[in-house]
Structures are given as structure tokens and as C-alpha cells.
Amino acid sequence: PIEFIPAETITLSTGGDLIPYTILTAKNCESLWNEAGDYFFNNDIVFANLETVADMSKPYSAAPEIMLHDMYFNIDEKTFDIFSGNGKYRGFDVLSTANNHSFDMGEAGVHATIHFLQKKGIAWCGTASNSEERNHITMIERKGISIAFLAYTFSLNKHALPADKEWLCNHLQLNTE
């Protein structure tokens, strides 16, 4: 109704694709968040798309300046820290993990990414460790307001989820009957 007055409000920051690029080094990015960090990371909920696997047991794999072939990404701790505000801010509350790079390191990469985010205290949406977890909706509550986060992808970069483990990633197959 027109006379409705909200009792509470929350603020939400949303970021785009967090992709490891070779140019993203601590030296090159030491001032990255100087102008926008306070604004971006001080909102009630901070969200972005983690467009990479986070498997610390495998080598760092970043996008070069010019991509001439299929790229399979795997972030390292240093680059993740750059994305998360260079240690100056609280970082992300929730990250989408369903995208075309979700399966770049296979099933082990999906599990490793989830474990990495759990260790960091960051919620995620779009991938799951098991079939029961897939049915869990990521909810973030602030000031009595709850927001649900859902994430899906239509591409897995030529990869296919195992037929018995389609719950690993929310994958919409387009143009199928």
C-alpha cells in the first residue's frame, strides 16, 4: 500500500566476475580499493560472482592479457585477498559459484572451492557438496530482513557434470527438449 513505511532497510553491494588475471598482483593492486572500498565493503551484504575455482592444492591458473584458447581458472590465496579488499575490509558475505568456470578443476575443484569458502566464513550459492546440500537455499539475514541467493549457469566450458552428480552445480541446459 502507498502508506507502507519500511521499519528497516539494508544495503547490498554486488560485484561482477572475480576472475584471476595475470596482471592482478599485490603490487599492481595495492591501491585497488582506495576509492571504492569503504563504499563497497561497508554495506550490509556484499556479494559477487566467483568466476574461478579456489582449489589451493592445485596450481594457480589465471587468464592472460589475451585469451586465445579455452581457459581454466584456479585462484590462489593472494589474488582472493586482493578481491576481498586487500585485507583492509571485511570482504564478501556471499559468492556465487555457479558459472562457466565452476567445473574447471572437476569435481574435486567444486568441493575444494566450497571448503575454501567455508574456511573463510563466506556463504555461497550455485554449487553443492552433495545432493542434500543442493536443496539448501543460501539466506543472509540482516536487521530482520532475509535475502535468498540463487545461482545458475548455462555453460560449463565444454565440461559435463557426472550423470549421477548433477547436484554439483546448478546447470541449466538451454536449447534442449
Side-chain angles (χ1 to χ4, degrees), residues 118-138:
Q118 286 174 324
K119 194 173 83 175
K120 295 278 187 190
I122 300 170
W124 73 96
C125 56
T127 55
S129 295
N130 55 56
S131 60
E132 294 80 29
E133 188 175 272
R134 181 184 194 176
N135 295 324
H136 170 76
I137 306 265
T138 301

Side-chain angles (χ1 to χ4, degrees), residues 44-78:
D44 295 311
I45 299 175
V46 181
F47 169 82
N49 177 44
L50 184 61
E51 185 96 3
T52 181
V53 174
D55 186 344
M56 299 304 130
S57 72
K58 294 186 179 171
Y60 175 69
S61 179
E65 289 301 304
I66 300 173
M67 289 188 251
L68 299 175
H69 53 81
D70 293 334
M71 290 299 310
Y72 300 111
F73 301 146
N74 189 40
I75 201 166
D76 62 359
E77 188 94 30
K78 290 178 186 177

Side-chain angles (χ1 to χ4, degrees), residues 35-109:
E35 293 179 29
D38 284 331
Y39 172 78
F40 186 76
F41 289 108
N42 286 332
N43 285 311
D44 295 311
I45 299 175
V46 181
F47 169 82
N49 177 44
L50 184 61
E51 185 96 3
T52 181
V53 174
D55 186 344
M56 299 304 130
S57 72
K58 294 186 179 171
Y60 175 69
S61 179
E65 289 301 304
I66 300 173
M67 289 188 251
L68 299 175
H69 53 81
D70 293 334
M71 290 299 310
Y72 300 111
F73 301 146
N74 189 40
I75 201 166
D76 62 359
E77 188 94 30
K78 290 178 186 177
T79 307
F80 188 83
D81 289 345
I82 291 168
F83 289 149
S84 299
N86 280 331
K88 299 175 188 172
Y89 306 97
R90 66 180 173 90
F92 295 96
D93 296 297
V94 61
L95 291 169
S96 166
T97 53
N99 55 66
N100 59 306
H101 291 282
S102 299
F103 216 62
D104 280 4
M105 301 291 151
E107 180 179 347

Side-chain angles (χ1 to χ4, degrees), residues 15-26:
D17 297 342
L18 304 177
I19 299 174
Y21 277 91
T22 54
I23 197 167
L24 298 175
T25 64

